[in-house]
Amino acid sequence: MTAAAAERTARPCPECGARMPVDARFTVWCAACEWNVDPVRAAEGEPPGLLERRRRELARRHGERLLREVADGVPLKARRDVASVLAQVLAVLVHGVTVTLVVLGAWCLVAGWGTPLPVLGLLLLCVAWPLRPRFGEAPDDVPLLRRDDAPALFALVDEVAEAAGTRGVDLIAVDDEFNASVCAYGLRGHRLLTIGLPLWEVLTPPQRTALLGHELGHFANGDTRHGRLTWTAEQSLEAWWYFLAPTPRPDAWTVVAVNVITFLPWLLVQGLRLLLDQLTLRAGQRGEYLADRVSAEVGGREGAIGVIDRHLVADSVLTALARERNRTALRTSRAAGAPDPADGLWDRLVAHVGSVPEHEFDRLRRAGTRRGHTVDATHPPTHLRRHCLTLGPAGPARIVVDTAREARIADELADARRKVARRVLGARY
Ligand SMILES: [Zn+2]
Ligand SMILES: [Zn+2]
């Protein structure tokens, strides 16, 4: 809608009388007094569980404190505070218990040969097996790109990595999430970058570079390395928690007795899980702000802020994709020669996001600030990240992708785009 058309369909705010533009597709709200800025909050479905709420609350508190430090001129640097060192120690102790079980089990097997001890040894080894640290594997259910499949994309990732002060990735996965992420997998710590096409497609080229900057920034800051140790420990604790969980409806005295014996260890494990979670939270917040800093360095401040703003329309993007999927499912059969609905899905999505007026982005930003919107429970609230970026240096982007390079990258992603589009649409047509 043009500004003139919007003015023609404006109406006065019931609270303060200011003019509010009316666009039938979006919420009518007042920018002057914020009347109706967040009408769906009350109808928002299930509130998150206790642990999740506590996490968000802590994320907000740590996020605000870090932001105050940055605003006071304290340089944002990667440093491990006492809490994150304690988290590493706790993680080593958790794995230490597993190692002890293995050593003890092996000793019982070998030294106790000819006695009943090997039975105990086997039991200990059986308990230790599910507690072992698991290093993850490359995904096998989404399109994967290796260096030879996508030389231009890998070259861009390498360039971003070099600017961030780290090395590139070994594998790129392309999936249908409105997200991007990095992780290490396998015993040797191969690097995986996952690009969610619904997000990637609605970003401009500088925003894509900024997005890569944020993700590679996590490698540069050591978040993935430190995260790996605590993450594997979390998994071991989860296995303990599962072993020791009380039987829900004990029907025999023996079961009751088992519940009584395991109750205290179960509580202890639950406590350790909470503790580990809290200890890693603050370093996680710092890591996100630092990754945003790298994002702004390589893709420019506007690019980095643009990525954060795009997250505000995540719900709208997912709704648009769900609508496409429903439309495809309703079509009983596709006539021969009719266009494949997967063709052009991403272009339609880009057009949809492009049609969201600035007035609506403004509303989403303000509603996000009120709610404490976060990308997920581990990220600082979105409005704090945005604010932190505006306090950082405003230098130009270090990496600029020209149209020829952009086209080469799009070419390399073409096959993944088609596959993921078909997957989004249910791929049954
Ligand atoms: Zn008003
Ligand atoms: Zn991040």
Side-chain angles (χ1 to χ4, degrees):
M1 189 185 323
T2 63
E7 189 47 42
R8 270 201 304 281
T9 51
R11 65 180 163 98
C13 165
E15 289 284 323
C16 72
R19 304 288 290 167
M20 305 182 296
V22 177
D23 182 332
R25 299 171 305 157
F26 302 105
T27 304
V28 178
W29 69 286
C30 173
C33 72
E34 297 204 340
W35 172 80
N36 209 33
V37 70
D38 193 11
V40 287
R41 184 174 192 177
E44 265 277 281
E46 287 283 282
L50 183 70
L51 183 63
E52 181 77 4
R53 273 206 302 277
R54 169 122 185 95
R55 247 188 184 172
R56 280 175 191 252
E57 170 59 23
L58 275 175
R60 186 186 58 77
R61 233 187 291 154
H62 290 322
E64 280 175 354
R65 188 179 316 148
L66 272 172
L67 183 61
R68 267 199 305 278
E69 283 179 25
V70 174
D72 290 345
V74 178
L76 195 55
K77 277 205 214 108
R79 69 177 163 84
R80 298 287 144 195
D81 53 12
V82 180
S84 57
V85 173
L86 282 177
Q88 308 288 305
V89 172
L90 183 57
V92 170
L93 286 177
V94 169
H95 290 312
V97 172
T98 313
V99 172
T100 310
L101 286 176
V102 172
V103 171
L104 215 60
W107 180 82
C108 285
L109 266 185
V110 176
W113 203 249
T115 72
L117 261 186
V119 179
L120 179 66
L122 268 181
L123 191 74
L124 289 174
L125 290 178
C126 285
V127 171
W129 178 248
L131 301 171
R132 72 195 186 283
R134 263 161 282 188
F135 296 106
E137 296 166 3
D140 56 5
D141 54 348
V142 293
L144 297 176
L145 298 171
R146 287 171 210 286
R147 212 158 261 280
D148 294 343
D149 308 323
L153 179 58
F154 269 85
L156 176 61
V157 171
D158 285 345
E159 206 181 323
V160 170
E162 201 189 325
T166 185
R167 68 172 177 86
V169 300
D170 303 292
L171 189 64
I172 297 176
V174 184
D175 71 9
D176 58 355
E177 305 274 325
F178 190 86
N179 198 6
S181 62
V182 283
C183 68
Y185 68 94
L187 203 56
R188 291 172 54 204
H190 290 302
R191 291 181 169 190
L192 170 73
L193 164 70
T194 304
I195 293 175
L197 272 189
L199 173 62
W200 180 263
E201 290 293 327
V202 301
L203 298 179
T204 61
Q207 288 168 354
R208 287 176 188 161
T209 312
L211 177 74
L212 295 178
H214 178 97
E215 297 308 328
L216 271 297
H218 281 308
F219 281 127
N221 299 330
D223 299 336
T224 32
R225 193 176 61 242
H226 293 269
R228 215 164 179 228
L229 182 62
T230 48
W231 184 63
T232 48
E234 262 167 46
Q235 282 182 312
S236 296
L237 283 174
E238 204 178 311
W240 275 117
W241 182 79
Y242 180 76
F243 279 155
L244 298 168
T247 315
R249 280 182 293 279
D251 46 6
W253 281 107
T254 44
V255 182
V256 175
V258 169
N259 277 1
V260 170
I261 293 167
T262 56
F263 186 67
L264 279 181
W266 181 67
L267 268 190
L268 176 74
V269 168
Q270 183 69 321
L272 288 176
R273 287 177 72 195
L274 275 174
L275 181 64
L276 193 57
D277 195 57
Q278 315 250 317
L279 288 175
T280 48
L281 202 79
R282 195 200 315 240
Q285 308 292 294
R286 183 182 293 277
E288 294 303 336
Y289 282 131
L290 279 163
D292 280 343
R293 199 46 76 79
V294 178
S295 169
E297 261 169 43
V298 298
R301 190 158 77 179
E302 290 310 306
I305 290 177
V307 177
I308 288 183
D309 279 350
R310 277 291 183 259
H311 277 101
L312 293 170
V313 289
D315 285 346
S316 175
V317 164
L318 296 177
T319 310
L321 290 179
R323 218 180 298 133
E324 290 268 0
R325 188 188 169 101
N326 287 345
R327 213 176 292 146
T328 311
L330 287 173
R331 228 180 272 185
T332 43
S333 65
R334 188 152 61 92
D340 185 339
D343 290 341
L345 173 75
W346 304 116
D347 297 332
R348 292 196 293 279
L349 187 67
V350 171
H352 168 74
V353 172
S355 77
V356 177
E358 184 45 41
H359 187 64
E360 175 64 4
F361 271 106
D362 190 16
R363 185 187 75 77
L364 289 167
R365 260 193 301 271
R366 296 197 204 192
T369 306
R370 285 186 171 205
R371 282 185 207 200
H373 172 278
T374 58
V375 170
D376 59 40
T378 58
H379 282 70
T382 307
H383 69 282
L384 299 182
R385 289 174 64 198
R386 199 174 193 282
H387 188 73
C388 191
L389 276 170
T390 60
L391 294 172
R398 279 177 67 177
I399 298 171
V400 178
V401 177
D402 61 24
T403 22
R405 196 173 182 192
E406 202 188 303
R408 274 204 305 282
I409 293 174
D411 235 26
E412 292 170 356
L413 283 170
D415 189 46
R417 281 175 103 228
R418 197 164 29 247
K419 284 182 180 152
V420 177
R422 291 178 63 90
R423 187 190 174 110
V424 166
L425 296 179
R428 275 195 304 110
Y429 51 88

